[in-house]
């Protein structure tokens, strides 16, 4: 078969019995060889030729470690024990990425108290990629494959020197150099031929596992523990069914395992992952995630107690933590749940990895080699999970996964209904194109069939369908073949969730409240997943929304506070004091993600510590930028519900409300400028509210903490008709006229109110009546009146000569000059047995409003006020003879902030919190 220095045309595959000379077990440093089907490489190799690389290749032949399956060896003495005495560990490339990490792996194996251990190991990190790169470079006739192969040699040689010594080191290095020499000859052949068969490629790339397994087994033996290493090509027999899949031959693999163990009995076995053999004894691989698959197959062959997959994460997350920063580690998953999540892109396990262990109920544990304190995720039979809290929705929906870069194809037409074979024709076309169908949705009317394919394949599919159904489209039996690009799939996965009332409703409610439109829906009768198609740009938002609904508190809201002045800072104090109680007792999680003033702002990704927000603003504050602030609060974190709380009186800020609401940001404010500003601006905001799930609350714009807006809405929504609203809407003016009595001057009372903090810094802002007029406009518009602020006649209490005073101080100094005018009005009212009150009135019947100083009898409810109380009287068809009265404190930072806080809690209730 071999002539010195010449490659002959007489290469052939040796039959199994030709390996009978390989009866004794291998040791590190020994090599067992079989003839490799070099004829498959290239027709070029069928010719006789002489070359330097040919002599090297023929001198060494192509070596693998196949064991003769026909050996006549008694196995009774070393019969393979199966069952729970075995535990299987699998370590990926990251786990053995350096000599230090390989030592950590050895420590884990040594410290495992299982009676018997099988360790499946991958190639050192990046080595498999390097081996594939070697093939690619050689096929491309790129001579840099030589230096790359030298790098592979150096990587393993240096690692071995750091791990081993003495005979173990010498033996490994001898084998390593022997293998590298063989590979160099093989790659040279590929370089000349310009082609490598799949078998040849699989043989080359499998060397990384061979080397890492040998080093690890030697290291474990170095610690005094009996350990053998297994080349799984001797044991695992698989039948390649496609370029990406193989089917294990369990019966033959079991027989070979028993034979292997009879020759290599040991309590610790280090096996190569990823590689196997075909029934023809050709080297192959287990394709994607092959090492995990190897571990699962071995677990089933040994009927092990469990299979532990060691990786670099703490376990399986409820969602991709790169997209949802508060995704949680799942303690348990059923086999089916893990299967579904891996199909939909979650970084769990390949679905085929689960199949071998399912039949024996062998649990798979996902653990982090870099965090041994983490217990990881257990994938097992669902009956193991029965002790979990079934009242928790997260019990039924375990996780969420997404697939991006998809397109929907919708084939519809009246001619499809009731016509057998239409769906078959559609998907036969898709199959012929070679496209992968990710999801299918068909209406029961059979009017349309909708399915998702990868976006890179959609053009070919659409063109093929147009061609196939051209006649039906022209005849009108089909109306269209529609392509909807830029889509993503969101899948909710959970055991039996479809049979649990409320799960689907909760899912779709969360999407609706996040303003996410669902393009298509699919739910299988297996009850393991609910799949929806959404716009690609809304995918992360949708993922965060549903994850928040199921895994965070029932209502988690990201808040941005605009204007940390008197009211804003008081609100922050109230939030600080109540946040823990709200979360613990009401499951409402309020997180202030940003605080912005006129000059600076403070941002945080997970929520600002409200006990230190002033200090933090000094330490970490940045220049105020409203656009960046809004983007941060709304777009750069995992919480789907966003509210901006405007505690300013700024009309420019109010001008942003429409855009914020349109983006799905809720708005809460005591700022009157939006609702009392231009009518068209107000109507646009209210129209937008009715069209979406975005909320706009402004209770504190009229009566601070008093329920005036909500009372009015309650009357209107229950069918009552408003006739008139009359009230004392200004806490400042209420205080002034409650204390403006005989014996006191008007200027004295105003000065007293200013000192007590009831007035604005410039009391003219209160005395002008403009603030009351704004409240009148707000109430009038709530009643349906389309009035502008200029339509409201206002009686100003600022004397005409003082309206243009240079400063508030000048105004206060000049005000006593006009005390006589106010005293005259007060005396006239007193003589008539009445009191003066500054009121705002909405006359719905006459469709007008007014703000003025009026006289009221001393027994009138408006005359009974004290301090800065507000009072509002609703005269309606139900409350015509005796108006409905709302009375209480109407001024002060505490009550105003309390009114805003009440709106925040009302928003939480609307979003799903208990009311």
């Amino acid at each position: 078969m071999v002539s010195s220095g010449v490659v002959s045309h007489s290469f052939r595959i040796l039959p199994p019995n030709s390996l009978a000379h390989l009866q004794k077990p291998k040791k590190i440093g020994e090599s067992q060889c079989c003839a490799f089907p070099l004829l498959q490489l290239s027709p070029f190799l069928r010719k006789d030729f002489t070359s330097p690389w040919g002599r090297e290749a023929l001198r060494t032949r192509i070596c693998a470690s196949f064991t003769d399956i026909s050996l006549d060896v008694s196995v009774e003495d070393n019969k393979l024990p199966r069952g729970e005495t075995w535990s299987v560990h699998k370590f990926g490339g990251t786990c053995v990425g350096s000599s230090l990490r390989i030592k950590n792996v050895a420590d884990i194996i040594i410290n495992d108290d299982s009676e018997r251990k099988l360790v499946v190991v991958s190639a050192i990190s990046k080595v498999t990629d390097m081996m594939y790169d070697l093939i690619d470079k050689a096929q491309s006739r790129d001579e840099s494959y030589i230096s790359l192969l030298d790098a592979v040699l150096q990587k393993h040689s240096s690692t071995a020197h750091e791990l081993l010594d003495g005979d173990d080191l010498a033996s490994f290095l001898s084998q390593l150099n022997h293998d590298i020499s063989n590979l160099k000859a093989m790659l040279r052949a590929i370089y000349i031929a310009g082609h490598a068969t799949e078998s040849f490629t699989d043989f080359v790339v499998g060397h990384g596992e061979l080397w890492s397994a040998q080093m690890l087994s030697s290291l474990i033996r170095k610690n005094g523990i009996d350990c053998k290493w297994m080349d799984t090509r001797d044991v695992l027999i698989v039948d390649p069914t496609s370029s990406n899949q193989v089917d294990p031959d369990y019966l033959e693999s079991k027989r070979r395992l028993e034979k292997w163990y009879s020759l290599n009995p040991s309590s610790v076995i280090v096996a190569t992952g990823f590689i196997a053999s075909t029934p023809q004894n050709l080297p192959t691989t287990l394709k994607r995630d092959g090492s995990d698959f190897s571990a699962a197959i071995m677990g089933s062959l040994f009927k092990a107690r469990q299979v532990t997959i060691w990786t670099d994460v703490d376990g399986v997350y409820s969602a991709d933590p790169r997209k949802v920063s508060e995704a949680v580690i799942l303690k348990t998953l059923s086999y089916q749940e893990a299967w579904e999540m891996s199909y939909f892109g979650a970084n769990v396990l390949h679905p085929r990895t689960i199949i071998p262990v399912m039949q024996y109920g062998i649990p798979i544990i996902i653990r982090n080699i870099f965090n041994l304190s983490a217990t990881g995720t257990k994938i097992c039979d669902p009956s193991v999970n029965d002790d979990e809290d079934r009242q928790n929705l997260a019990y039924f929906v375990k996780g969420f996964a997404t697939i991006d870069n998809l397109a929907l194809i919708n084939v519809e037409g009246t001619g499809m209904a009731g016509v057998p074979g239409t769906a078959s024709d559609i998907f036969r076309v898709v199959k012929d194109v070679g496209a992968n169908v990710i999801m299918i949705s068909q209406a029961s009317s059979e009017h349309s069939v909708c399915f998702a394919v990868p976006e890179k394949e959609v053009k070919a599919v659409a063109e093929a369908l147009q061609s196939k159904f051209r006649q039906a489209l022209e005849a009108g039996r089909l109306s269209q073949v529609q392509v909807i690009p830029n889509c993503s799939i969101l899948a909710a996965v959970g055991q039996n969730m479809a049979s649990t009332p409320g799960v689907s409703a909760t899912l779709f409610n969360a999407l609706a409240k996040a303003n996410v439109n669902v393009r298509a829906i699919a739910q299988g009768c297996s009850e393991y997943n609910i799949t929806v198609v959404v716009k690609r740009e809304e995918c992360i938002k949708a993922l965060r929304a549903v994850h928040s609904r199921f895994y965070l508190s029932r209502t988690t809201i990201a808040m941005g506070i605009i204007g940390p002045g008197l009211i804003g800072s008081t609100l922050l104090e109230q939030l600080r004091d109540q946040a823990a109680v709200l979360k613990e007792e009401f499951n409402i999680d309020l997180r202030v993600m940003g605080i912005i003033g006129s000059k600076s702002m403070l941002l945080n990704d997970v929520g600002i510590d409200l006990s230190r927000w002033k200090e933090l603003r000094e330490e970490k504050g940045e220049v105020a930028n409203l656009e960046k602030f809004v983007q941060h609060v709304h777009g750069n974190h995992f919480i789907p519900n966003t509210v901006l709380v405007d505690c300013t009186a700024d009309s420019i800020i109010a001008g942003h409300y429409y855009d914020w609401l349109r983006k799905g940001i809720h708005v809460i404010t005591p700022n009157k400028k939006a609702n009392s500003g231009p009518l068209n601006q107000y109507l646009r905001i209210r129209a937008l509210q009715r069209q979406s799930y975005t909320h706009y609350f402004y209770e504190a714009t009229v009566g601070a903490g008093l329920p005036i807006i909500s009372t009015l809405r309650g009357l209107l929504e229950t069918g009552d008709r408003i006739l008139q609203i009359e009230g004392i809407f200004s806490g400042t003016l209420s205080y002034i006229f409650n204390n403006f009595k005989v014996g006191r001057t008007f200027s004295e009372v105003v000065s007293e109110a200013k000192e007590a903090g009831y007035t604005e810094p410039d009391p003219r802002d209160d005395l002008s009546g403009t603030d009351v007029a704004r409240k009148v406009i707000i109430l009038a518009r709530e009643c349906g009146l389309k009035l502008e602020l200029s339509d409201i006649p206002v009686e100003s209490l600022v004397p005409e000569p003082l309206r243009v005073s240079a400063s508030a101080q000048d105004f206060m100094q000049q005000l006593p000059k006009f005390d006589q005018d106010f005293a005259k009005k007060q005396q006239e009212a007193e003589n008539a047995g009445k009191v003066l009150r500054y009121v705002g009135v909405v006359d719905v019947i006459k469709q007008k409003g007014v703000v003025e100083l009026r006289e009221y009898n001393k027994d009138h409810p408006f005359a009974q006020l004290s301090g800065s109380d507000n009072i509002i009287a609703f005269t309606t068809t139900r409350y015509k003879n005796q108006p409905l009265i709302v009375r209480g404190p109407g001024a002060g930072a505490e009550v105003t902030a309390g009114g805003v806080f009440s709106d925040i809690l009302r928003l939480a209730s609307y979003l799903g919190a208990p009311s």
Side-chain angles (χ1 to χ4, degrees):
M1 188 176 77
V2 179
S3 60
S4 178
V6 178
V7 178
S8 170
H9 65 277
S10 60
F11 273 87
R12 59 189 176 87
I13 300 174
L14 295 180
N17 59 12
S18 69
L19 301 178
H21 65 287
L22 301 176
Q23 292 188 21
K24 68 176 183 177
K26 302 184 300 294
K27 296 180 180 179
I28 294 179
E30 296 181 4
S31 175
Q32 297 178 359
C33 304
C34 70
F36 195 88
L38 284 176
L39 283 175
Q40 297 180 29
L41 253 178
S42 168
F44 176 67
L45 290 179
R46 295 174 185 158
K47 300 178 181 179
D48 290 343
F49 61 92
T50 302
S51 70
W53 61 264
R55 288 193 294 273
E56 176 66 19
L58 295 172
R59 184 167 59 251
T60 61
R61 299 204 297 172
I62 298 174
C63 300
S65 53
F66 298 113
T67 301
D68 177 12
I69 62 171
S70 66
L71 294 177
D72 184 17
V73 177
S74 173
V75 297
E76 294 301 322
D77 293 339
N78 294 316
K79 187 174 182 180
L80 173 65
R82 287 186 172 86
E84 295 201 352
T85 60
W86 288 96
S87 65
V88 176
H89 296 265
K90 179 265 173 177
F91 295 93
T94 305
C95 300
V96 291
S98 65
S99 58
L100 179 60
R101 291 182 180 180
I102 295 174
K103 289 178 182 178
N104 291 339
V105 168
D107 290 340
I108 290 172
I109 300 306
I110 293 167
N111 294 326
D112 179 10
D113 58 5
S114 300
E115 184 178 343
R116 296 181 176 89
K117 291 159 275 193
L118 176 79
V119 183
V120 177
V121 63
S122 298
I124 291 176
S125 179
K126 307 299 183 184
V127 166
T128 300
D129 290 340
M130 294 172 74
M131 303 303 282
Y132 274 115
D133 199 19
L134 282 170
I135 296 288
D136 291 340
K137 289 183 183 302
Q139 287 187 125
S140 303
R141 294 178 175 161
D142 180 351
E143 290 193 350
S144 65
Y145 78 86
I146 299 173
S147 60
L148 180 58
L149 186 59
D150 290 339
V152 171
L153 171 62
Q154 177 59 34
K155 187 179 187 72
H156 288 86
S157 177
S158 61
T159 302
H161 276 92
E162 292 169 358
L163 292 173
L164 308 176
D165 51 33
D167 291 343
D168 288 336
L169 176 61
S171 180
F172 175 77
L173 292 177
S174 174
Q175 181 65 53
L176 175 65
N177 283 290
H178 184 74
D179 291 343
I180 293 294
S181 179
N182 286 345
L183 289 172
K184 190 171 293 185
M186 295 176 195
L187 292 166
R188 181 64 180 174
I190 295 171
Y191 177 89
I192 293 175
H195 173 69
T197 64
E198 183 178 350
S199 296
F200 216 99
T201 300
D202 288 345
F203 180 77
V204 171
V205 300
H207 277 73
E209 279 72 16
L210 294 172
W211 297 325
S212 60
Q214 291 177 60
M215 282 191 288
L216 179 59
S217 62
S218 294
L219 184 59
I220 293 173
R221 278 199 310 276
K222 184 179 175 182
N223 284 272
I225 296 174
D226 177 35
C227 178
K228 300 286 195 307
W229 81 275
M230 174 195 291
D231 182 345
T232 47
R233 293 176 299 186
D234 293 344
V235 173
L236 293 187
I237 303 300
V238 298
D239 186 17
T241 58
S242 71
S243 60
N244 293 314
Q245 190 168 336
V246 296
D247 288 339
D249 184 339
Y250 288 99
L251 288 177
E252 179 61 20
S253 297
K254 178 181 176 182
R255 194 169 77 81
R256 293 198 180 203
L257 175 61
E258 289 171 346
K259 184 68 69 176
W260 185 93
Y261 190 83
S262 71
L263 300 173
N264 302 276
S266 180
S267 60
V268 180
I269 300 171
V270 178
T272 56
F274 182 57
I275 57 177
S277 294
T278 69
Q280 294 78 33
N281 288 332
L282 300 179
T284 189
T285 66
L286 301 184
K287 316 306 177 187
R288 178 188 167 199
D289 295 317
S291 294
D292 288 351
F293 197 19
S294 299
I297 296 171
M298 284 297 188
S300 69
L301 292 176
F302 281 89
K303 295 184 181 177
R305 173 172 55 86
Q306 68 181 33
V307 175
T308 302
I309 306 292
W310 292 90
T311 181
D312 55 0
V313 294
D314 287 345
V316 180
Y317 284 88
S318 54
D320 187 340
R322 294 168 298 182
K323 298 177 181 177
V324 181
S325 61
E326 287 208 354
V328 299
I329 296 292
L330 301 174
K331 292 182 179 179
T332 59
L333 279 173
S334 71
Y335 295 119
Q336 290 82 1
E337 287 168 340
W339 196 333
E340 293 283 348
M341 287 187 70
S342 61
Y343 174 80
F344 285 104
N347 187 21
V348 187
L349 293 171
H350 193 280
R352 63 182 179 166
T353 304
I354 300 164
I355 297 172
V357 297
M358 282 182 64
Q359 60 181 323
Y360 298 113
I362 300 170
I364 298 177
I365 315 295
I366 311 294
R367 292 196 62 189
N368 189 351
I369 192 170
F370 305 115
N371 183 14
L372 299 181
S373 62
T375 57
T377 299
K378 186 175 186 179
I379 300 171
C380 54
D381 187 86
S383 62
V384 178
N385 305 337
D386 287 344
D387 59 341
E388 292 197 21
D389 181 12
R390 289 178 177 270
Q391 302 305 312
N392 184 357
L393 280 173
Y395 173 81
F396 301 104
V397 179
K398 284 298 184 68
F400 302 91
T402 58
I403 303 177
D404 294 321
N405 302 319
L406 300 176
L408 280 179
I409 296 181
N410 183 42
V411 182
E412 65 178 45
T414 55
M416 293 174 59
V419 178
T422 302
S424 174
D425 290 342
I426 291 172
F427 293 110
R428 187 178 297 111
V429 169
V430 178
K431 177 180 179 295
D432 292 343
V433 171
N436 181 28
V437 176
I438 308 297
M439 187 205 81
I440 302 171
S441 178
Q442 179 174 353
S444 59
S445 65
E446 300 181 342
H447 178 71
S448 68
V449 175
C450 176
F451 57 95
V453 297
E455 204 158 49
K456 62 183 180 181
E457 299 173 353
V458 69
K459 182 179 179 181
V461 173
E463 289 176 351
L465 288 171
Q466 293 278 2
S467 176
K468 171 68 177 178
F469 296 105
R470 180 173 289 109
Q471 186 176 353
L473 288 164
E474 291 172 352
R477 295 193 303 276
L478 289 183
S479 59
Q480 65 174 340
V481 176
Q482 180 188 15
V483 174
I484 305 171
N486 303 319
C487 293
S488 293
I489 280 179
L490 167 65
V493 174
Q495 186 85 23
N496 296 321
M497 67 179 181
S499 61
T500 304
V503 174
S504 296
T506 301
L507 177 74
F508 290 110
N509 186 253
L511 292 172
K513 288 183 175 178
N515 272 342
V516 174
N517 184 37
V518 175
R519 308 301 300 264
I521 303 167
Q523 179 173 340
C525 61
S526 64
E527 304 182 348
Y528 295 134
N529 82 71
I530 300 173
T531 303
V532 298
V533 178
V534 300
K535 294 179 181 178
R536 183 191 302 162
E537 60 266 26
E538 293 183 338
C539 184
I540 293 180
K541 179 182 178 183
L543 179 62
R544 291 170 177 170
V546 295
H547 188 274
S548 172
R549 184 61 183 84
F550 283 90
Y551 269 97
L552 301 182
S553 72
R554 189 169 183 185
T555 306
T556 302
I557 304 175
M559 302 174 61
I561 307 298
I562 304 172
L566 185 58
I567 294 173
S569 59
T570 304
L571 174 63
L572 288 167
E573 291 173 4
Q574 294 176 355
L575 288 167
R576 176 200 64 199
D577 296 340
Q578 286 297 113
V581 174
L582 289 171
K583 188 170 184 179
E584 181 177 346
E585 297 187 12
F586 300 97
N587 223 4
I588 299 173
D589 190 358
L590 303 178
R591 305 194 183 189
V592 177
M593 314 299 284
I595 301 170
I596 185 170
S598 59
K599 296 181 179 179
S600 67
M601 64 182 180
L602 174 64
L603 307 176
N604 190 281
D605 289 330
V606 295
I608 295 170
D609 180 358
L610 297 185
S611 65
R612 300 180 57 242
W613 71 268
K614 292 182 179 179
E615 300 171 37
L616 292 170
R617 186 174 62 167
E618 291 295 324
E619 296 171 6
K620 302 180 180 180
E622 51 188 285
V623 176
N625 182 319
L626 186 61
E627 183 178 351
K628 181 180 178 182
F629 174 83
V630 173
Q631 172 61 28
H632 171 83
V633 175
H634 183 53
N636 288 345
H637 53 85
F638 61 93
I639 304 173
N641 302 310
T642 306
V643 61
L644 293 176
V645 182
D646 174 20
C647 296
T648 73
D650 194 319
S651 58
I652 295 176
I653 298 294
H656 289 284
Y657 292 177
Y658 181 84
D659 288 334
W660 293 344
L661 292 165
R662 188 167 53 84
K663 292 176 181 177
I665 303 173
H666 309 291
V667 176
I668 293 174
T669 185
N671 186 346
K672 308 171 189 64
K673 298 299 174 61
N675 284 16
S676 61
L679 180 61
N680 63 340
Q681 175 181 299
Y682 168 80
L683 293 175
R684 285 179 74 216
I685 292 175
R686 296 308 303 272
L688 183 62
Q689 273 188 282
R690 288 189 288 270
Q691 297 168 7
S692 68
Y693 281 87
T694 311
H695 299 287
Y696 172 43
F697 294 145
Y698 43 87
E699 185 71 79
T701 58
V702 175
L706 296 180
I708 296 173
I709 300 292
S710 55
T711 299
L712 174 56
R713 285 192 174 176
L715 293 170
L716 293 170
E717 289 168 0
T718 56
D720 203 353
R721 184 186 176 200
I722 308 298
L723 304 177
Q724 178 177 280
I725 303 172
E726 183 179 13
I728 298 173
F729 296 106
S730 167
T732 302
L733 295 173
S734 175
Y735 179 89
I736 289 173
F737 284 99
N738 287 338
N739 289 278
F740 182 37
K741 300 175 181 179
V742 175
R744 303 199 66 188
T745 65
F746 186 74
S747 61
E748 177 188 346
V749 176
V750 171
S751 179
E752 180 182 287
K754 188 175 186 299
E755 291 296 325
Y758 287 118
T759 72
E760 294 294 331
D762 188 337
R764 286 174 292 185
D765 294 338
D766 300 293
L767 296 174
S768 68
T770 302
D771 184 66
V772 176
R774 289 188 180 278
K775 295 177 181 180
V776 168
I777 278 291
I778 291 170
L779 293 174
R781 290 174 175 176
E782 290 291 316
C783 294
L785 302 185
K786 295 182 178 180
L787 299 177
E788 294 281 7
L789 186 60
S790 58
D791 296 329
I792 306 297
V794 179
E795 180 181 351
S796 175
L797 300 180
V798 180
E800 181 72 33
L802 301 184
R803 293 176 189 177
V804 292
S805 296
S807 66
Q809 184 178 0
D810 291 338
F811 167 76
M812 291 303 297
Q813 290 175 350
Q814 298 295 325
L815 185 58
K817 296 178 181 179
F818 300 89
D819 280 341
Q820 188 173 356
D821 295 336
F822 287 104
K824 180 180 179 182
K825 293 180 180 180
Q826 196 276 338
Q827 189 61 52
E828 289 174 353
E830 181 69 25
N831 293 340
K834 297 182 178 183
V835 295
L836 292 175
R837 295 293 183 263
Y838 194 77
V839 299
V841 180
V842 178
D843 190 330
V844 180
I845 302 300
K846 296 181 179 179
Q847 298 191 0
K848 67 177 185 178
V850 65
V851 175
E852 61 187 8
L853 190 63
R854 288 185 174 182
E855 296 180 350
Y856 291 89
N857 292 327
K858 291 186 177 180
D859 60 353
H860 192 279
F862 286 15
Q864 309 302 314
L865 292 184
S866 61
S868 60
D869 281 3
N870 282 9
I871 187 168
I872 296 89
F874 295 94
T875 303
T876 72
T877 52
R878 293 178 190 161
Y879 298 95
K880 190 171 185 178
N881 297 325
Q882 187 173 357
L884 175 63
I885 301 291
V886 177
R887 172 182 171 176
E894 288 285 342
V895 292
T896 303
V900 175
F901 200 164
S902 178
D903 272 348
I904 294 170
L905 297 181
R906 185 151 64 103
L907 173 64
S909 178
Y910 274 56
L911 295 176
S915 56

